[in-house]
């Protein structure tokens, strides 16, 4: 076992030494395959990781995962299988370049039309001196999704899940859209890191996050991370968009989300985290960023009360991770939107008991080296993340900033991943029950519906409304061609079944299965399991 643990460490050292200009990709399967030592660290919930911290893992032994044969000793072989396409290094600077692509073909049910994904792009990174890192990846996409995703895009104002708006001139059923990430990192000191960029953030150790996930579209942000002793403290200042309000200059209304996250290593194996966030609007285009929320240490709840409760929507949450063994840990999250203890124990089902819970475990090198198992349960009460007005809900660009299902659901997620050499297997199994809204109703699943339109004050329960069952399975087999940019060859099968109690014009019983094969550069997470 120690031999395989050492192998994983050497793999990570190799990856970080090559990719010190970029994040370890947020793609979850990539992190599971290679970032075992990072998962064992106390503050693994704060993602993307600080590249200056991961560089400390670099060892003199590099490229231990390289393929070593006659072909890979050539320039072409090295670039295809072991290295960045371009990598210019100097003591005072470094530059990397890689192509980015997602080229897949598939077939859905008995449909004669081929599914396809056609993503072309580039990944560029640079280091200037020892304290500045710059990164961007640019993607141009032309996709023909499975029918249920096309329906979702059509019903969601042409927003592609997590990737922005599809162009209006696209031919029927096909989606053309661009997707761009970019940021720069400045390591001001040993204790302080700044990241300014356009992208996503994630807080949690699970597959989902009920605090802040990478489900929604990219947004501009400033992240300030303070590290000392056994503490990490994150300040996140962002600007979001509400597509339901268009300002006179024809731009979407701005909304702002300011967040604090404090992570503390309480014992060698136990890490606890506290999360606080406030959402406030600029529906008239005159308020701008409220200076009250720029203080990096203030508590938002009393500040909201002082300003006026209509001035913002505050959510608070907590996180726990306990490492039972070297490669096995349990984790959990809780989020409170609104809550009253007396109403909770009254059993009356008050509508504003708005909370969510998560519990799960993750195990690396389970029974055999390279096998990762993960299972978690997520549940969120009706009306959680919503607010009196749409611009102050916990959402961005018509999508939830937490879970893709929104609220009023319970979900079980099980993930199996196995890596041997560069061959891998991934299996994802999701079962969920959600109370959907029928036409013209608000039973608490859609975070964009205002609280004032709720159906009732009391007797609110999980799954109220149109009780809907979802079963989702994805099986992927593949080969990791190049670890430097996570270039993979994949063959996948997906099965999805959704069954509502009441069929509506936008929700009907459906079973779909489709196969896909292709070449993919996996950097980001894209969630189609809804």
């Amino acid at each position: 076992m120690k031999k395989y643990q050492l192998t994983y460490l050497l793999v990570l050292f190799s990856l970080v030494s090559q990719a010190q200009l970029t994040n370890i990709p947020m793609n979850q399967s990539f992190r599971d395959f290679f970032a075992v030592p990072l998962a064992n660290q106390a503050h693994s919930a704060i993602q993307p990781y600080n590249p200056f911290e991961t560089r400390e893992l670099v060892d003199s032994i590099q490229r231990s995962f390289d393929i070593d044969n006659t072909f890979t000793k050539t320039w072409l072989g090295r670039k295809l299988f072991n290295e960045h396409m371009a990598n210019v290094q100097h003591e005072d600077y470094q530059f990397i370049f890689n192509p980015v692509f997602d080229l897949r073909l598939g077939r859905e049910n008995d449909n004669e039309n081929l599914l396809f994904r056609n993503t072309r792009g580039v990944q560029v990174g640079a280091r200037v001196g020892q304290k500045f890192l710059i990164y961007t990846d640019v993607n141009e996409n032309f996709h023909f999704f499975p029918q249920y995703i096309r329906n979702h895009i059509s019903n969601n104002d042409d927003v592609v899940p997590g990737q922005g708006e599809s162009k209006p001139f696209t031919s029927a059923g096909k989606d053309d859209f661009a997707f761009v990430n970019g940021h720069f990192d400045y390591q001001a000191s040993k204790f302080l890191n700044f990241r300014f960029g356009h992208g996503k953030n994630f807080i949690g150790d699970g597959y989902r996050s009920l605090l802040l996930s990478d489900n929604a579209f990219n947004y501009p942000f400033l992240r300030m991370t303070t590290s000392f002793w056994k503490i990490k403290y994150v300040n996140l200042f962002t600007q979001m968009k509400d597509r339901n309000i268009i300002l006179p200059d024809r731009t979407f209304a701005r909304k702002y989300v300011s967040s604090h996250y404090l992570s503390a290593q309480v014992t060698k194996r136990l890490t606890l985290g506290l999360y606080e966030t406030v959402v406030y609007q600029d529906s008239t285009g005159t308020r701008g960023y409220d200076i009250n929320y720029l203080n990096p240490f203030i508590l938002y709840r009393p500040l909201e009360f002082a300003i006026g409760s209509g001035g913002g929507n505050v959510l608070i949450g907590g996180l726990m991770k306990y490492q039972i063994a070297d490669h096995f840990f349990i984790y959990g999250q809780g989020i409170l939107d609104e809550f009253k203890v007396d109403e909770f124990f009254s059993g009356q089902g008050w509508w504003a008991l708005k909370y969510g819970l998560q519990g799960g475990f993750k195990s690396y090198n389970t029974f055999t080296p390279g096998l990762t198992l993960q299972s978690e349960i997520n549940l969120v009460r009706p009306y959680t993340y919503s607010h009196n007005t749409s611009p102050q809900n916990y959402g961005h660009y018509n999508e939830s900033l937490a879970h893709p299902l929104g609220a009023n659901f319970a979900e079980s997620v099980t993930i199996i991943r196995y890596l041997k050499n560069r061959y891998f297997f991934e299996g994802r199994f999701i079962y969920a029950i959600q109370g959907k809204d029928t036409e013209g109703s608000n039973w608490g699943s859609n975070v964009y519906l205002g609280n004032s339109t709720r159906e009732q004050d009391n007797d609110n329960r999980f799954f109220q409304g149109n009780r809907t069952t979802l079963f989702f399975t994805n099986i992927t087999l593949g080969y990791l061609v190049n670890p430097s940019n996570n270039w993979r060859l994949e063959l996948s099968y997906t099965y999805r079944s959704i069954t509502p109690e009441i069929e509506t014009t936008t929700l009907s019983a459906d079973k779909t299965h489709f196969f896909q094969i292709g070449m993919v550069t996996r950097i980001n997470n894209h969630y189609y399991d809804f």
Side-chain angles (χ1 to χ4, degrees):
M1 184 61 70
K2 289 183 177 179
K3 173 184 176 183
Y4 287 105
Q5 292 175 8
L6 177 61
T7 300
Y8 270 106
L9 282 169
L10 296 180
V11 170
L12 181 65
F13 291 156
S14 172
L15 289 172
V16 173
S17 65
Q18 301 170 58
Q20 57 186 300
L21 303 179
T22 69
N23 304 312
I24 289 180
M26 289 186 70
N27 179 260
Q28 298 203 26
S29 63
F30 190 75
R31 292 201 316 269
D32 283 355
F33 288 157
F34 301 110
V36 176
L38 287 176
N40 287 335
Q41 290 187 351
H43 310 292
S44 58
I46 302 170
Q47 302 170 40
Y49 299 122
N50 180 352
F52 291 95
E53 292 181 346
T54 58
R55 282 197 304 174
E56 295 178 3
L57 297 173
V58 176
D59 189 79
S60 58
I61 302 174
Q62 298 181 3
R63 313 302 310 182
S64 61
F65 202 58
D66 286 357
I67 297 175
D68 186 11
N69 56 36
T70 303
F71 179 62
T72 57
K73 293 183 184 301
T74 66
W75 180 88
L76 180 60
R78 294 198 320 271
K79 297 303 178 182
L80 286 177
F81 292 100
N82 295 333
E83 300 178 0
H84 295 293
M85 183 60 65
N87 188 358
V88 179
Q89 297 193 46
H90 185 272
E91 180 180 355
D92 295 327
Y93 59 84
Q94 184 179 3
F95 171 84
I96 66 166
F97 170 87
N98 287 305
V100 173
F101 45 81
D102 184 348
L103 305 174
R104 278 183 275 184
L105 285 175
R107 188 176 294 278
E108 176 185 12
N109 296 346
D110 298 324
N111 196 324
E112 295 183 356
N113 296 321
L114 286 177
L115 303 175
F116 64 83
R117 298 191 191 184
N118 181 3
T119 295
R120 301 85 57 208
V122 295
Q123 179 190 53
V124 179
R127 171 177 59 84
V128 181
Q130 301 301 319
K131 293 189 175 183
F132 285 96
L133 298 180
I134 304 170
Y135 172 83
T136 187
D137 63 76
V138 181
N139 307 266
E140 176 61 34
N141 309 273
F142 187 55
H143 291 358
F144 187 55
F145 287 111
Q147 185 63 53
Y148 82 93
I149 300 178
R150 301 201 303 270
N151 291 342
H152 176 85
I153 294 171
S154 176
N155 294 330
N156 197 32
D157 197 19
D158 293 327
V159 174
V160 180
Q163 298 167 85
E165 183 178 4
S166 180
K167 296 177 183 177
F169 56 80
T170 302
S171 55
K174 300 178 177 64
D175 292 285
D176 189 352
F177 56 98
F179 186 74
V180 179
N181 292 293
H183 63 259
F184 77 81
D185 279 279
Y186 173 53
Q187 190 70 25
S189 70
K190 177 182 178 181
F191 308 102
L192 189 60
N193 173 267
F194 292 92
R195 170 170 291 189
F196 179 70
H198 182 80
K200 303 183 182 185
N201 294 270
F202 190 99
I203 294 179
D205 291 288
Y207 176 70
R208 310 288 198 190
S209 175
L210 305 184
L211 305 180
L212 176 63
S213 81
D214 54 348
N215 171 64
F217 183 45
N218 289 358
Y219 47 84
F221 67 90
L222 172 64
R223 189 178 80 173
M224 180 175 66
T225 305
T226 306
S227 306
F228 63 95
W229 190 43
K230 299 180 180 181
I231 299 292
K232 268 191 182 298
Y233 185 58
V234 176
N235 295 102
L236 184 64
F237 307 104
T238 72
Q239 178 183 283
M240 307 291 186
K241 294 288 187 179
D242 191 310
R243 292 174 55 89
N244 299 296
I245 301 175
I246 300 179
L247 300 179
D249 61 359
R250 303 185 65 184
T251 61
F252 299 123
R254 292 177 290 275
K255 57 191 291 186
Y256 304 97
V257 182
S258 297
S259 307
H260 300 155
Y261 178 68
L262 175 66
S263 178
Q265 186 180 6
V266 179
T267 69
K268 182 179 179 180
R269 296 185 179 274
L270 176 64
T271 301
L272 297 178
L274 294 175
Y275 180 73
E276 181 185 35
T277 189
V278 60
V279 185
Y280 55 101
Q281 66 180 356
D282 190 14
S283 59
T284 63
T286 59
R287 183 178 183 186
Y289 218 108
D290 194 324
I291 194 171
N292 289 285
Y293 296 119
L294 292 179
N295 189 320
F297 302 108
I298 201 165
L299 296 177
Y300 289 142
R301 180 65 75 181
L303 179 61
E304 179 203 30
F305 179 79
I307 295 175
S309 60
N313 177 23
V314 173
L315 297 88
I316 58 175
L319 179 147
M320 179 278 297
K321 184 179 79 169
Y322 185 78
Q323 188 174 354
I324 296 177
D326 286 345
H327 295 305
F328 181 81
F329 61 87
I330 58 176
Y331 58 88
Q333 288 186 355
I335 187 77
L336 288 178
D337 191 349
E338 293 184 53
F339 194 83
K340 286 186 178 180
V341 175
D342 55 345
E343 290 286 357
F344 178 80
F345 287 105
S346 72
Q348 297 299 310
W350 187 47
W351 72 274
L353 290 176
K354 296 155 60 174
Y355 63 86
L357 296 171
Q358 177 190 85
F361 76 88
K362 200 167 191 177
S363 174
Y364 295 97
N365 297 329
T366 313
F367 307 122
T368 186
L371 178 62
T372 299
L373 300 180
Q374 180 178 10
S375 185
E376 71 184 37
I377 293 175
N378 301 290
L379 55 93
V380 178
R381 278 268 301 176
Y383 304 108
T384 306
Y385 305 118
S386 64
H387 197 61
N388 294 329
T389 60
S390 172
Q392 291 187 173
N393 62 22
Y394 199 54
H396 163 60
Y397 222 79
N398 280 11
E399 298 175 294
S400 168
L401 285 169
H403 197 289
L405 291 181
N408 194 14
F409 71 87
E411 175 195 51
S412 170
V413 180
T414 299
I415 299 172
I416 303 172
R417 295 189 175 108
Y418 179 65
L419 172 71
K420 185 174 180 59
N421 298 324
R422 293 195 180 189
Y423 295 94
F424 63 85
F425 163 86
E426 299 178 17
R428 184 159 28 102
F429 310 93
I430 295 175
Y431 178 77
I433 301 175
Q434 184 174 29
K436 298 277 193 178
D437 301 323
T438 53
E439 294 182 42
S441 69
N442 179 10
W443 290 105
S445 64
N446 186 348
V447 302
Y448 273 84
L449 294 180
N451 292 338
S452 60
T453 64
R454 61 185 180 273
E455 300 302 315
Q456 55 198 25
D457 289 339
N458 295 306
D459 199 29
N460 291 280
R461 301 287 185 263
F462 277 102
F463 322 133
Q464 63 184 12
N466 190 2
R467 186 184 177 105
T468 302
T469 301
L470 168 71
F471 183 70
F472 184 96
T473 299
N474 175 264
I475 303 294
T476 302
L477 299 172
Y479 178 75
L480 181 62
V481 179
N482 192 326
S484 294
N485 60 352
N486 201 19
W487 173 19
R488 300 142 55 114
L489 301 178
E490 293 184 352
L491 173 64
S492 68
Y493 167 73
T494 299
Y495 172 79
R496 176 184 180 269
S497 171
I498 190 165
T499 309
E501 285 185 338
I502 303 171
E503 294 195 352
T504 67
T505 56
T506 58
L507 180 65
S508 59
D510 179 59
K511 292 183 179 180
T512 183
H513 57 89
F514 59 92
F515 293 88
Q516 291 189 105
I517 186 171
M519 297 190 304
V520 185
T521 304
R522 289 202 179 273
I523 300 174
N524 304 290
N525 296 308
H526 300 308
Y527 300 101
Y528 304 123
D529 44 10
F530 51 81

